[in-house]
Amino acid sequence: MEQHKIDEFNHQHIKEHQREFNFVAGYLSNLDDVLQKLIAFQIAIPSWALGTGGTRFGRFSGGGEPRNLEEKIEDVGLIHALNRSSNSISLHIPWDIPKDAAATKKLAEHYGLHFDAVNSNTFQDQPGQKLSYKFGSLHHVVKAVRQQAVDHNIEVIKYGEQLGSKALSVWLSDGSNFPGQLNFRGAFQRTLESLQQIYEALPKDWKVWIEYKPFEPNFYSTTIGDWGQSFLLASKLGEKAQTLVDLGHHLPNTNIEQIVSLLLMEGKLAGFHFNDSKYGDDDLTVGSINPYQLFLIFNELVEGMDARGMNHATGIGWMIDASHNVKDPIEDLLQSVEAIKIAYAQALLVDNEALAQAQQQNDVINAQEILQNAYRTDVRPLIAEARLRAGGALNPIAVYRLQAVRDGLIKKRGVKTVATGL
Ligand code: LRH
Ligand code: MN
């Protein structure tokens, strides 16, 4: 995406933007601080979300999707050029094995990108794999299967080191489908022992992020099924181990913001896989179903990070994990990044001193008024201004459509594309 096309669009829309920006800016006592924080706040893009996802009932490809790692990096580069808010990509191994890590790193740098956490995969059997993960991986009853999975995770760390990544992200589908199938204590102990081997292989400045999920693909138990089980493992492993919160990995009506506040309090919050859901692990566009919950989560994050004196941009792993069945993947990701920055900006507007006072006085009405005053503030002009100052587009999706980018990708890459990931 040529910069002049973005500048042209911004020039045509600057008047309208300045009117809207001046309106909300007039309300803020901490405008510069908010804009600086918004400019610095970057959200990693998952490599597996650049193509059309699908469900077991089918996949409807939109065409022009990346056919290899290089084209995935190109697409994240495009997203970052438009929103100046997505300067890293998270790879999934073996879906994204770099043939030449140095060349891959160079290509990413060309687009102003770096590599976020690398994800291991012991939830699928790969062609030619000796031992199957049908009955699990790190918790498997057979030592050789556990060792095969440990070796894979250590191999993933090696790829990550070559690319400059600083974290291994582990999600295990390990679990059971029927009562009696699994000894829960044994499964937990074997998982811990396997993770200890992986932990020992971590370079000194690396982290291991342990993602939990209550169900799917197993439908009776999941060995790392909730934040408590992940937190227990991370606490037993050591200070390099933390808990990763995927918003879609909670049973209905779970108070996710409370979980986030406690993990942050304990220094065990690795980061997020942002998405949205109405029922299960729906992996929908962030903020498309329950934007108020997302705001409440960011309210706990801002309050908790400030309480620990943390740098908002670097202290936590900010990442999307979504899958697109009916939307253009790039437009969907642009919408998700926007929704995350809206929730963050709203949380930065919460008058935490007044809120703490209201909480001290059990003034429940005022506490809600303080929160919802921030939530009901239209912060979109602030995010657009932050983007403008960072060289991005005032309206990324409008520029993407005006430039007919998808048509260009379809011409170049074709209509039918193989699934390169989920
Ligand atoms: C599991 C999950 C995990 C990934 C996968 C792509 O549902 O959220 O983070 O490895 O999706
Ligand atoms: Mn996830």
Side-chain angles (χ1 to χ4, degrees):
M1 174 63 66
E2 296 85 342
Q3 188 59 40
H4 72 84
K5 289 180 178 156
I6 293 174
D7 299 342
E8 229 165 77
F9 178 90
N10 292 345
H11 183 68
Q12 284 154 13
H13 295 83
I14 198 67
K15 289 245 168 316
E16 174 199 346
H17 163 66
Q18 262 155 3
R19 200 176 48 252
E20 292 164 355
F21 172 65
N22 294 339
F23 176 76
V24 65
Y27 280 99
L28 303 191
S29 55
N30 57 348
L31 178 63
D32 289 342
D33 175 57
V34 168
L35 289 174
Q36 280 323 310
K37 284 190 166 107
L38 286 174
I39 291 170
F41 197 86
Q42 300 284 319
I43 298 119
I45 304 293
S47 64
W48 59 93
L50 295 159
T52 299
T55 70
R56 57 187 165 166
F57 303 106
R59 176 176 173 273
F60 305 92
S61 165
E65 296 168 11
R67 300 163 293 184
N68 50 49
L69 179 52
E70 289 63 35
E71 290 182 345
K72 290 177 180 179
I73 293 170
E74 188 186 330
D75 287 2
V76 177
L78 168 77
I79 291 169
H80 188 50
L82 289 168
N83 69 14
R84 306 312 294 175
S85 303
S86 308
N87 68 358
S88 67
I89 179 170
S90 178
L91 302 187
H92 219 299
I93 306 292
W95 299 338
D96 309 308
I97 292 178
K99 294 184 189 55
D100 171 345
T104 300
K105 202 161 181 266
K106 209 158 169 312
L107 177 67
E109 280 153 9
H110 166 71
Y111 290 106
L113 306 178
H114 65 272
F115 290 93
D116 199 277
V118 279
N119 298 265
S120 61
N121 175 344
T122 57
F123 51 84
Q124 293 171 326
D125 288 345
Q126 304 305 325
Q129 183 178 304
K130 282 202 212 57
L131 303 166
S132 172
Y133 294 134
K134 177 175 180 178
F135 293 106
S137 59
L138 299 185
H139 89 170
H140 202 288
V141 291
V142 175
K143 175 93 179 99
V145 177
R146 301 199 299 274
Q147 194 55 51
Q148 176 182 271
V150 167
D151 296 347
H152 164 70
N153 278 275
I154 293 173
E155 188 194 359
V156 173
I157 292 171
K158 299 245 173 318
Y159 284 121
E161 280 188 283
Q162 294 168 9
L163 295 168
S165 174
K166 293 293 182 199
L168 169 69
S169 191
V170 178
W171 169 67
L172 302 177
S173 60
D174 296 18
S176 64
N177 269 314
F178 300 96
Q181 175 185 343
L182 196 64
N183 176 291
F184 298 137
R185 194 175 58 256
F188 186 90
Q189 281 300 349
R190 291 189 296 271
T191 301
L192 176 59
E193 283 151 24
S194 302
L195 284 170
Q196 269 156 350
Q197 284 181 264
I198 295 167
Y199 189 91
E200 273 131 38
L202 287 174
K204 66 182 182 341
D205 61 349
W206 269 54
K207 292 270 195 270
V208 59
W209 296 349
I210 302 170
E211 184 176 3
Y212 56 89
K213 182 176 181 178
F215 69 92
E216 190 210 35
N218 279 293
F219 296 101
Y220 172 62
S221 78
T222 299
T223 300
I224 310 181
D226 66 16
W227 76 281
Q229 293 159 14
S230 169
F231 179 74
L232 193 52
L233 285 166
S235 305
K236 288 175 180 286
L237 286 165
E239 53 85 28
K240 288 191 216 172
Q242 296 174 306
T243 291
L244 179 78
V245 177
D246 184 312
L247 299 191
H249 293 184
H250 300 88
L251 299 177
N253 311 322
T254 298
N255 187 325
I256 302 174
E257 54 270 27
Q258 184 181 17
I259 294 170
V260 167
S261 69
L262 298 181
L263 286 170
L264 191 50
M265 176 183 74
E266 294 297 305
K268 280 295 188 186
L269 179 62
F272 291 86
H273 280 182
F274 290 115
N275 47 56
D276 210 337
S277 49
K278 186 159 183 59
Y279 303 105
D281 188 20
D282 310 345
D283 280 345
L284 300 175
T285 315
V286 183
S288 60
I289 305 290
N290 193 346
Y292 191 53
Q293 173 182 261
L294 187 66
F295 160 71
L296 293 175
I297 289 169
F298 269 93
N299 179 52
E300 293 302 332
L301 285 165
V302 169
E303 195 270 340
M305 287 191 288
D306 290 351
R308 293 174 67 87
M310 290 169 72
N311 174 314
H312 295 183
T314 56
I316 301 254
W318 311 110
M319 190 179 135
I320 292 167
D321 180 3
S323 165
H324 329 285
N325 300 329
V326 293
K327 289 182 177 180
D328 176 305
I330 291 177
E331 291 184 340
D332 196 332
L333 290 163
L334 288 169
Q335 276 188 326
S336 281
V337 171
E338 180 78 359
I340 293 165
K341 298 200 92 165
I342 287 173
Y344 177 45
Q346 291 165 330
L348 290 173
L349 301 190
V350 173
D351 181 343
N352 277 311
E353 254 161 67
L355 182 61
Q357 216 175 15
Q359 289 164 344
Q360 205 49 42
Q361 294 151 359
N362 292 313
D363 182 346
V364 184
I365 292 289
N366 195 24
Q368 180 173 321
E369 289 304 312
I370 292 164
L371 268 189
Q372 296 195 336
N373 181 36
Y375 178 67
R376 292 182 173 139
T377 302
D378 184 358
V379 296
R380 291 174 296 175
L382 296 175
I383 296 160
E385 177 67 17
R387 247 192 326 266
L388 182 68
R389 295 185 186 194
L394 280 171
N395 183 330
I397 290 178
V399 174
Y400 176 84
R401 290 191 168 193
L402 267 173
Q403 298 302 323
V405 175
R406 181 56 60 185
D407 297 346
L409 292 173
I410 289 172
K411 275 202 198 67
K412 191 166 151 230
R413 299 171 180 175
V415 175
K416 276 266 156 279
T417 45
V418 292
T420 55
L422 265 184

